[in-house]
């Protein structure tokens, strides 16, 4: 597994301040009222610095035939397990499985409200007792930048442990525990080796089978990729750690075909603009950009990625992005800036704060589309 050496600047002042108090999505959309489904969330749409407000169910009308949605098929694991260090209760968040059998883990402590808070004081050699007489031993921090995540060596099958004793990772802003099915997206597929994500690739959560069918019927295409995401603590705003990813050959061909259809990213007389490559979630961006060469061509790839997408690095493939709402110090915002630019991101978040959008994995979503310069004489209905 490779490790990145560059650390992007994370602390950038934001004109929009911070997410409003009380606007964390505490339960999934379908539990907020009778007759609701996962798609009962709001959709903020950015076209450059132009911002509009929609329901997520309007997505088929905002995309066009030929667009390609890159979706992450990683399933969510029941990655939180109770444990003990001596007589002290802890909760182990299993983040990522290494090539050598070790796991990157975060140790947290119960907060008395059914969730957890950050725990300090971990050190090499700490032994954690697990259910079923299992145990793991901390060996070294995952990153020299801090000691939140540790490489730990378990003495048994962790995936079996998670199936028998695990539950989904849950943070204090949520109201109650939810079954694992609530954390699976419509695109999730079982992995051959049982791997998955420690936390849900949540940008895809509002999609329903009905909505996917409507998108396909309108000519929108899908390219599956996989990125098994690790933990993303609410207390720490760090660059993402190395993660496993895979971009299959068929998806690489689809993406390259759509990029080839873009005639200078503008329509000629009597033509419609080519389709756009729109990633569903920052995980999909990381996967597809990791498989892209300097020439912008995507090639089938699998393994580890330590890519951090920043405005300085830019994006080579992705034209747009569907994502959740991120805290002001989150490194994900650098990726958004790489796609849309700083001014467009700040403008969108000012509107999200003003419009009281909901944050976090059960919250509202943000669609970033590329800024275009359509000409009225080329207009055909709502599609340029």
């Amino acid at each position: 597994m490779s490790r990145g050496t560059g650390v992007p600047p994370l602390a950038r002042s934001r004109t929009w301040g911070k997410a409003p108090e009380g606007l964390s999505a505490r339960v999934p959309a379908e539990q907020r009222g009778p007759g609701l489904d996962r798609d009962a969330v709001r959709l903020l749409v950015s076209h450059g610095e132009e911002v509009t407000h929609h329901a997520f169910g309007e997505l088929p009308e905002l995309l066009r035939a030929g667009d390609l949605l890159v979706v992450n098929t990683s399933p969510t694991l029941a990655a939180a397990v109770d444990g003990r260090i001596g007589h002290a209760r802890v909760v182990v968040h299993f983040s990522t499985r290494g090539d050598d059998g070790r796991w990157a883990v975060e140790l947290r402590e119960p907060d008395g409200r059914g969730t957890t808070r950050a725990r300090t004081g971990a050190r090499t050699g700490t032994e954690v007792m697990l259910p079923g007489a299992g145990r793991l031993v901390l060996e070294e921090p995952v990153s020299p930048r801090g000691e939140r995540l540790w490489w730990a060596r378990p003495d048994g099958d962790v995936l079996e442990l998670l199936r028998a004793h695990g539950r989904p990772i849950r943070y204090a802003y949520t109201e109650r525990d939810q079954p694992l099915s609530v954390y699976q997206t419509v695109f999730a597929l079982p992995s051959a080796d049982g791997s998955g994500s420690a936390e849900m690739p949540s940008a895809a959560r509002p999609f329903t089978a009905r909505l996917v069918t409507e998108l396909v019927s309108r000519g929108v295409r899908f390219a599956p990729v996989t990125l098994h995401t690790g933990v993303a603590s609410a207390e720490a705003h760090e660059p993402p750690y190395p993660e496993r990813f895979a971009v299959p050959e068929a998806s690489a061909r689809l993406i390259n075909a759509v990029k080839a259809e873009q005639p200078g990213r503008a329509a000629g007389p009597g033509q419609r603009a080519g389709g756009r490559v729109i990633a569903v979630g920052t995980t999909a961006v990381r996967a597809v950009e990791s498989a892209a060469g300097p020439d912008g061509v995507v090639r089938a790839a699998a393994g580890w990625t330590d890519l951090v997408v920043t405005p300085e690095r830019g994006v080579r493939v992705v034209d747009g992005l569907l994502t959740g709402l991120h805290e002001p110090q989150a490194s994900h915002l650098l990726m958004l800036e790489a796609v849309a630019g700083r001014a467009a991101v700040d403008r969108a978040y000012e509107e999200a704060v003003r419009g009281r959008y909901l944050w976090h994995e059960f919250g509202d979503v943000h669609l970033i589309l590329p800024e275009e310069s359509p000409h009225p004489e080329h207009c055909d209905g709502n599609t340029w």
Side-chain angles (χ1 to χ4, degrees), residues 41-46 55-60 62-63 68-72 187 201-208 211 215 222 277-285 318-326 335-336 339 349 363-370:
V41 297
R42 299 170 69 192
L43 177 63
L44 187 76
V45 178
S46 296
F56 187 77
E58 297 175 57
L59 182 65
L62 297 165
L63 301 180
L68 181 69
L69 295 181
V70 181
V71 297
N72 187 0
F187 304 112
S202 55
R205 192 185 188 279
F207 284 88
T208 63
L211 187 63
L215 288 165
F222 291 83
V277 176
I278 300 170
V280 177
T282 57
T283 61
V285 176
V318 171
D319 301 309
L321 171 62
L322 180 73
T323 184
L325 296 169
H326 306 286
M335 181 184 290
L336 270 61
V339 175
Y349 274 76
D364 298 317
V365 284
H366 178 201
L367 175 62
I368 299 172
L369 293 174

Side-chain angles (χ1 to χ4, degrees), residues 73-85:
T73 64
S74 178
T76 307
L77 301 175
V81 176
D82 293 323
R84 286 188 177 275
I85 299 176

Side-chain angles (χ1 to χ4, degrees), residues 75-81 92-94 158-169 178-180 183-184 194 196-199:
T76 307
L77 301 175
V81 176
V92 184
H93 287 179
F94 287 88
V158 168
L159 292 175
E160 183 59 38
L161 173 76
L162 300 186
R163 285 190 288 269
H165 301 286
R167 61 185 179 276
I169 289 175
Q178 299 284 347
L180 184 59
Y183 291 89
Q184 305 295 2
S197 290
E199 298 187 19

Side-chain angles (χ1 to χ4, degrees), residues 5 16 19 22 29 45 47 51 53 62 67 100 104 131 149 162 189 197-198 218 239 300 324 333 336:
T5 55
W16 48 275
V45 178
H47 238 119
V51 179
H53 304 270
L62 297 165
D67 283 343
D100 58 1
L149 287 182
L162 300 186
L189 295 172
S197 290
R218 288 172 175 256
L333 288 173
L336 270 61

Side-chain angles (χ1 to χ4, degrees), residues 302-369:
W304 290 93
T305 177
D306 57 7
L307 175 66
V308 180
V309 178
T310 65
E312 292 72 27
R313 188 268 186 190
V315 288
R316 299 170 178 170
V317 178
V318 171
D319 301 309
L321 171 62
L322 180 73
T323 184
L325 296 169
H326 306 286
E327 297 288 348
Q329 297 304 318
S331 61
H332 295 301
L333 288 173
L334 299 179
M335 181 184 290
L336 270 61
E337 290 180 19
V339 175
R342 175 69 181 268
V345 172
D346 283 348
R347 175 79 180 93
Y349 274 76
E350 288 167 1
E351 281 295 305
V353 172
R354 185 178 298 113
R356 299 186 65 78
Y357 277 66
L358 295 180
W359 257 251
H360 300 303
E361 64 265 31
F362 299 141
D364 298 317
V365 284
H366 178 201
L367 175 62
I368 299 172
L369 293 174

